[in-house]
Amino acid sequence: MISVKHLDKHFNRGKKNSIHVLNDVSLDFPNKGLVVLLGPSGSGKTTLLNVIGGLDKVQKGQIDFFDHNISHYKSAIWDKIRTEEVGYIFQNYYLMPNLSVFDNVAFVLKMIGIQDKNEIETRVNYILKQVGMYRFRKKRSTQLSGGQQQRVAIARALVKNPKVIIADEPTGNLDSKNTLEIMNIVKSISANKLVVLVTHEKELASFYGDRIVEIKDGKIINDDQNTTLQDHAFSNDNTIYLKDLVEVSNLESKNLKASFYADSDEVLPTQVRLIIKK
Ligand code: ADP
Ligand code: MG
């Protein structure tokens, strides 16, 4: 389990432009699930996430990372743990432009000391298939769309099988279709791994988060399990009575007969994509 206690951090301490960016932050994280750090721009989300993921340091406080008690002065040990156990996903993807998709992901395995060519190939190809990027494996990252680049970045984060994935506004540069696709991948990762996700978008947090931690001015102002998520799952079950609803439209073609119901005949334009695999 990861836990942080009484984290405290200032930028420009003692100066006029001093910022108390983390103010006595304590949190325990579970071993799996999607924990969202939600707050407005400038509230300290990225700083907190970077501290949890070992990319930034605090001036006071304690960080426990599974069996390790990490203090700011043991940075060499923390570097090793971080390299092996934390997967990072950023808003700007940060792929290496001169490498192929395959090599961007393979690079991580080489970094943690895996040299066997067959093992690298098996693991990279497996993970690229999982994020739907296998057929692009020979392309350079500069030839990909934003959504595709983020999929590769997710593969890169996952390939070393880390204990935790940290994701800083991973859909910040994506359109709504790609946002849904990327978030669906992120959500499925969190079924058996801890994902800590930073966002300023409330809808995103309540649609996907298992737990929402709200941050403002470097302080935690709220920390709740997401109950709207359960409502959402509940509304998907079979307790809808079609007879109570208006049939808005009815489509029929060779392989598909579709009916569209709503609780009023004044519904907003709605787009549905239905994909059948196997
Ligand atoms: P968020 O991710 O919630 O937008 P950040 O953690 O990036 O917030 O930043 C919190 C505050 O700390 C902001 O006011 C930001 O300008 C400031 N800040 C972030 N990084 C630095 C830095 N390296 N030096 C000085 N101030 C910083
Ligand atoms: Mg940020």
Side-chain angles (χ1 to χ4, degrees):
M1 204 183 72
I2 300 175
S3 87
V4 297
K5 290 189 189 75
H6 306 298
L7 298 183
D8 224 69
K9 183 178 177 75
H10 291 79
F11 283 118
N12 309 316
R13 194 168 203 164
K15 292 188 194 150
K16 253 192 176 163
N17 57 351
S18 159
I19 297 169
H20 200 171
V21 64
L22 296 179
N23 186 347
D24 195 23
V25 171
S26 298
L27 281 171
D28 286 329
F29 293 93
N31 287 344
K32 59 182 175 181
L34 184 52
V35 180
V36 179
L37 307 179
L38 173 70
S41 172
S43 55
K45 305 181 297 294
T46 292
T47 306
L48 176 58
L49 190 72
N50 286 347
V51 167
I52 293 164
L55 298 176
D56 202 349
K57 289 174 186 168
V58 285
Q59 285 130 2
K60 263 199 286 186
Q62 189 184 324
I63 301 165
D64 289 302
F65 191 92
F66 294 87
D67 303 332
H68 312 275
N69 176 348
I70 292 131
S71 333
H72 55 280
Y73 50 85
K74 288 181 194 156
S75 62
I77 300 171
W78 199 188
D79 280 350
K80 185 173 175 334
I81 297 169
R82 184 185 81 194
T83 308
E84 290 172 2
E85 302 295 2
V86 187
Y88 303 92
I89 307 170
F90 303 100
Q91 180 172 352
N92 294 324
Y93 330 124
Y94 295 127
L95 300 178
M96 287 179 277
N98 297 323
L99 297 187
S100 68
V101 164
F102 182 95
D103 286 335
N104 261 282
V105 180
F107 179 81
V108 175
L109 292 180
K110 291 174 189 159
M111 242 175 72
I112 61 170
I114 296 171
Q115 270 145 29
D116 186 84
K117 232 183 137 190
N118 286 334
E119 183 182 351
I120 290 176
E121 204 159 310
T122 311
R123 284 178 68 169
V124 172
N125 287 342
Y126 173 78
I127 218 83
L128 285 177
K129 281 176 193 163
Q130 278 198 327
V131 298
M133 288 301 293
Y134 177 72
R135 67 196 164 103
F136 298 99
R137 66 194 179 283
K138 290 183 181 148
K139 290 217 174 206
R140 280 199 195 187
S141 58
T142 46
Q143 296 172 286
L144 305 174
S145 72
Q148 291 171 334
Q149 288 186 58
Q150 194 60 297
R151 282 162 189 264
V152 178
I154 291 174
R156 179 185 57 188
L158 279 178
V159 74
K160 59 188 173 182
N161 195 21
K163 287 203 167 80
V164 53
I165 297 280
I166 69 171
D168 194 349
E169 312 255 11
T171 59
N173 289 339
L174 301 176
D175 60 19
S176 57
K177 175 173 168 282
N178 277 297
T179 294
L180 283 176
E181 289 177 5
I182 292 297
M183 281 310 301
N184 287 338
I185 298 175
V186 169
K187 183 71 189 173
S188 68
I189 296 168
S190 72
N192 38 38
K193 200 181 281 294
L194 173 63
V195 178
V196 186
L197 172 92
V198 156
T199 185
H200 65 273
E201 292 182 64
K202 217 171 172 154
E203 290 80 20
L204 203 87
S206 58
F207 197 76
Y208 288 102
D210 294 311
R211 173 178 160 198
I212 302 174
V213 179
E214 278 186 76
I215 301 171
K216 200 182 165 201
D217 300 329
K219 267 183 164 315
I220 291 172
I221 55 165
N222 245 314
D223 184 350
D224 287 314
Q225 291 304 120
N226 183 8
T227 49
T228 59
L229 194 67
Q230 284 153 17
D231 292 349
H232 174 69
F234 184 73
S235 72
N236 270 339
D237 75 15
N238 290 326
T239 54
I240 296 169
Y241 297 101
L242 291 179
K243 278 186 181 158
D244 296 343
L245 301 175
V246 183
E247 186 165 3
V248 181
S249 58
N250 206 315
L251 309 168
E252 199 161 354
S253 69
K254 187 165 160 266
N255 295 319
L256 179 70
K257 186 172 187 301
S259 306
F260 177 28
Y261 293 84
D263 52 6
S264 137
D265 52 10
E266 288 169 17
V267 280
L268 293 171
T270 305
Q271 187 187 32
V272 177
R273 288 157 182 267
L274 180 66
I275 294 127
I276 318 270
K277 280 177 85 175
K278 296 209 177 100

